[in-house]
Amino acid sequence: MGSISHGSHLHRRCRRRRRGPQRWPRPLLRRPAGDGFLGALRRAASLRKVRLTSTTITAEITLTHGDDDQFSLSAVLRPVLGGVDRATAQELAEAAHQICPYSKATRDNVPVVIAADAA
């Protein structure tokens, strides 16, 4: 089992004022979430006996500051699957969202949009 660690340099960067949308959650969440979802995609395909010729994913994690003065996260996952049509890619992505450990951990807390495509 892996772990996520970060040093004080990330903390200092988080405190720094930036113009525009805040971007600090990206390095902390984007890669682990993308990697976990990619593994879940491959597992979902294996369970359905679907052979994928390629798999890539882009994970966009956004920190927003709402009108209610609260901060929240949102995610957009964009998997691109080779060897299947777009409908099958979306079906596999939805199935992966049910088994991905990061999806399970953030379910009902972080809105997630899944926009799958075929390569």
Side-chain angles (χ1 to χ4, degrees):
M1 178 167 273
S3 64
I4 299 173
S5 63
H6 61 86
S8 60
H9 68 280
L10 180 60
H11 180 69
R12 282 193 305 268
R13 189 176 348 150
C14 292
R15 291 189 320 202
R16 195 179 320 146
R17 281 210 163 294
R18 293 176 181 233
R19 288 182 275 176
Q22 298 293 319
R23 302 199 188 282
W24 69 265
R26 284 183 171 189
L28 186 61
L29 296 173
R30 182 179 55 199
R31 179 144 187 188
D35 289 348
F37 194 79
L38 188 58
L41 267 172
R42 291 176 178 157
R43 177 72 175 147
S46 173
L47 290 172
R48 288 165 178 72
K49 305 212 184 313
V50 173
R51 185 174 183 275
L52 298 174
T53 58
S54 63
T55 55
T56 60
I57 186 164
T58 302
E60 300 170 16
I61 309 297
T62 305
L63 174 67
T64 58
H65 188 208
D67 294 334
D68 59 356
D69 207 31
Q70 299 293 315
F71 290 95
S72 62
L73 294 173
S74 63
V76 177
L77 302 175
R78 299 181 192 282
V80 178
L81 309 180
V84 296
D85 60 18
R86 182 177 284 178
T88 303
Q90 186 66 34
E91 178 186 329
L92 289 171
E94 295 293 339
H97 186 52
Q98 297 304 310
I99 60 176
C100 173
Y102 289 94
S103 294
K104 288 179 181 179
T106 60
R107 191 162 289 134
D108 299 325
N109 292 318
V110 176
V112 177
V113 174
I114 299 173
D117 203 0

